[in-house]
């Protein structure tokens, strides 16, 4: 067997074993070099040495050092599903590997092991600037059976994730989820942008990433795109960590209660006492007035009866006296 056939056989064996192929990728820029004893090299070393300790739980950090042609701008991004200690470890390894991969180049991009983190630096301004190059992509060399149905479900999933990531805010632009595909498959996907991008630039970067899929991977069940500004991955097996995604969002801040207007001590008691006294006085006055009215009315009714009875008595006495007189005479 000739040497080129041996190499081809080894390549095919490896791709069948690992099930993926990577596109060509040059991590080193072409915009200038520096020397080992230059100010740029000193600024680069100082800047990179601080990245792993300064990156926070959002997995993003950017900084600059130096002036004019010696100024170094750097960005670090961790995949949104990795924990902070893993993120820092990945960045720490990347700061050493990137200089070894691109010695003396003033611009470089590096992806850490298992694509957990990305580190880039440049002598050009890179913050908040969309960059899709240099990039690379890889795909699973296996094929799906129901291609049309698979990509219909995949497209719906990726459209949803792109919108969620693009609107993720200035701290983190990341989204992951899964959906049911054809032939009892589950499609897992994640997308992410550097959070210094605008929502529009993030959406544009992820849209460009999806355009690579039909170029290489029409029937592939797995694909990954990696650029300085965004990443996109999907597989038919779970490849990301759900821990950070399953954590419930922090509760909304509670409104600060407005303190009641202070009332001078004793005013409430005095007010209540005054009201009670007033009500009692009114009720007592009504009762007294009613009682007086009843008494007066009863007296008015009783006087004619007494007069009538007295008149009767007088009349009777006179009558008797008269009769007596009559009898005497």
């Amino acid at each position: 067997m000739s040497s080129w056939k041996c190499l081809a056989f080894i390549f095919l064996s490896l791709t069948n074993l690992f099930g993926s192929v990577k596109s060509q990728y040059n991590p080193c820029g072409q915009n200038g070099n520096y020397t080992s004893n230059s100010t740029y090299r000193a600024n680069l070393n100082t800047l990179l040495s601080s990245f792993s300790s300064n990156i926070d739980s959002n997995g993003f950090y950017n900084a600059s050092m130096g002036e004019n042609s010696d100024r170094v701008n750097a960005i670090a991004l961790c995949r949104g599903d990795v924990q902070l200690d893993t993120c820092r470890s990945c960045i720490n390894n990347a700061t050493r590997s990137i200089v070894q991969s691109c010695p003396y180049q003033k611009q470089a991009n590096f992806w850490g092991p298992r694509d957990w983190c990305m580190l880039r630096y440049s002598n050009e301004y890179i913050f908040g600037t969309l960059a899709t190059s240099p990039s690379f992509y890889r795909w699973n060399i296996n094929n799906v059976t129901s291609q049309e149905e698979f990509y219909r479900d995949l497209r719906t999933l990726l459209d949803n994730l792109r919108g969620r990531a693009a609107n993720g805010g200035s701290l983190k632009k990341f989204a992951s989820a899964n959906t049911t595909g054809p032939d009892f498959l589950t499609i897992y996907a994640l997308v992410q942008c550097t959070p210094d991008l605008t929502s529009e630039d993030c959406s544009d970067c992820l849209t460009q990433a999806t355009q690579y899929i039909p170029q290489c991977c029409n029937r592939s069940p797995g694909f990954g795109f990696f650029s300085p500004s965004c990443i996109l991955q999907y597989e038919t097996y779970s490849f990301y960590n759900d821990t950070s995604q399953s954590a419930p969002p922090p509760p909304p801040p509670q409104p600060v209660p407005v303190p009641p207007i202070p009332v001078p001590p004793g005013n409430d008691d005095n007010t209540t006492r005054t009201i009670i006294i007033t009500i009692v006085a009114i009720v007592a006055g009504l009762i007294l007035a009613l009682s007086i009215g009843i008494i007066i009315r009863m007296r008015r009714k009783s006087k004619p009866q007494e007069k009538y009875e007295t008149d009767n008595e007088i009349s009777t006495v006179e009558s008797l006296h008269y009769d007596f007189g009559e009898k005497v005479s």
Side-chain angles (χ1 to χ4, degrees):
M1 183 181 294
S2 62
S3 59
W4 70 267
K5 289 184 178 180
C6 290
L7 291 175
F9 176 77
I10 293 173
F11 176 77
L12 290 175
S13 299
L14 290 174
T15 54
N16 287 328
L17 177 63
F18 295 105
S20 64
V21 177
K22 180 181 287 189
S23 64
Q24 291 184 351
Y25 174 63
N26 180 17
C28 308
Q30 303 297 325
N31 60 339
N33 298 330
Y34 63 85
T35 59
S36 58
N37 59 350
S38 65
T39 304
Y40 189 91
R41 174 63 181 269
N43 291 337
L44 177 62
N45 290 343
T46 302
L47 189 63
L48 294 182
S49 65
S50 66
F51 263 57
S52 62
S53 58
N54 284 327
I55 199 163
D56 61 14
S57 58
N58 292 311
F60 179 73
Y61 182 67
N62 64 81
S64 298
M65 179 168 288
E67 299 293 337
N68 301 322
S69 60
D70 294 322
R71 184 176 181 86
V72 185
N73 306 293
I75 286 178
L77 176 71
C78 286
R79 210 173 70 182
D81 61 312
V82 302
Q83 301 300 317
L84 181 58
D85 55 346
T86 303
C87 171
R88 287 178 171 170
S89 177
C90 185
I91 295 297
N92 187 49
N93 292 330
T95 56
R96 295 192 300 267
S97 300
I98 193 171
V99 178
Q100 296 172 1
S101 300
C102 300
Y104 309 120
Q105 274 83 20
K106 286 190 173 182
Q107 185 180 52
N109 297 267
F110 183 83
W111 281 93
R114 301 183 64 179
D115 308 317
W116 279 340
C117 68
M118 181 273 295
L119 179 65
R120 62 183 295 219
Y121 62 82
S122 176
N123 58 340
E124 297 177 348
Y125 190 80
I126 58 176
F127 306 138
T129 303
L130 174 61
T132 56
S133 179
S135 64
F136 69 91
Y137 55 90
R138 62 166 177 261
W139 65 97
N140 191 313
I141 63 172
N142 297 316
N143 294 328
V144 295
T145 303
S146 305
Q147 178 183 352
E148 184 177 348
E149 292 84 355
F150 181 86
Y151 281 104
R152 180 195 60 204
D153 297 332
L154 174 64
R155 189 180 305 110
T156 301
L157 176 61
L158 293 180
D159 287 345
N160 177 269
L161 293 180
R162 183 178 68 250
R164 286 170 50 192
N167 295 300
S170 60
L171 297 179
K172 199 172 191 177
K173 286 182 166 62
F174 173 82
S176 65
N178 65 78
T179 189
T180 302
D183 306 318
F184 306 103
L185 293 176
T186 300
I187 308 172
Y188 300 85
L190 69 80
V191 298
Q192 184 172 11
C193 299
T194 56
D196 58 326
L197 293 182
T198 64
S199 297
E200 293 77 11
D201 283 344
C202 177
S203 182
D204 289 345
C205 187
L206 294 173
T207 298
Q208 292 184 45
T210 59
Q211 293 174 356
Y212 282 90
I213 298 174
Q215 296 180 18
C216 68
C217 325
N218 280 331
R219 300 179 63 88
S220 174
F223 172 81
F225 174 85
F226 305 87
S227 75
S229 289
C230 69
I231 63 174
L232 181 151
Q233 292 178 268
Y234 68 82
E235 295 286 352
T236 52
Y237 60 87
S238 180
F239 63 94
Y240 54 80
N241 182 10
D242 271 331
T243 302
S244 61
Q245 294 295 294
S246 60
Q254 296 297 322
V256 178
V258 179
I261 300 175
V263 179
N267 281 3
D268 287 345
D269 294 340
N270 292 338
T271 303
T272 304
R273 188 179 300 109
T274 301
I275 293 173
I276 293 175
I277 293 173
T278 302
I279 294 175
V280 171
I282 293 173
V283 173
L286 292 174
I287 294 175
L288 179 61
L290 183 61
S291 300
I292 293 174
I294 293 174
I295 293 172
I296 292 173
R297 187 174 181 183
M298 291 179 63
R299 285 183 176 180
R300 287 179 179 176
K301 288 183 178 181
S302 61
K303 283 182 179 181
Q305 183 66 23
E306 291 176 356
K307 184 177 179 181
Y308 176 78
E309 290 177 353
T310 303
D311 291 343
N312 287 342
E313 290 177 356
I314 294 173
S315 175
T316 303
V317 171
E318 290 179 351
S319 175
L320 291 175
H321 179 71
Y322 178 80
D323 291 341
F324 179 75
E326 288 291 330
K327 290 180 178 180
V328 172
S329 62

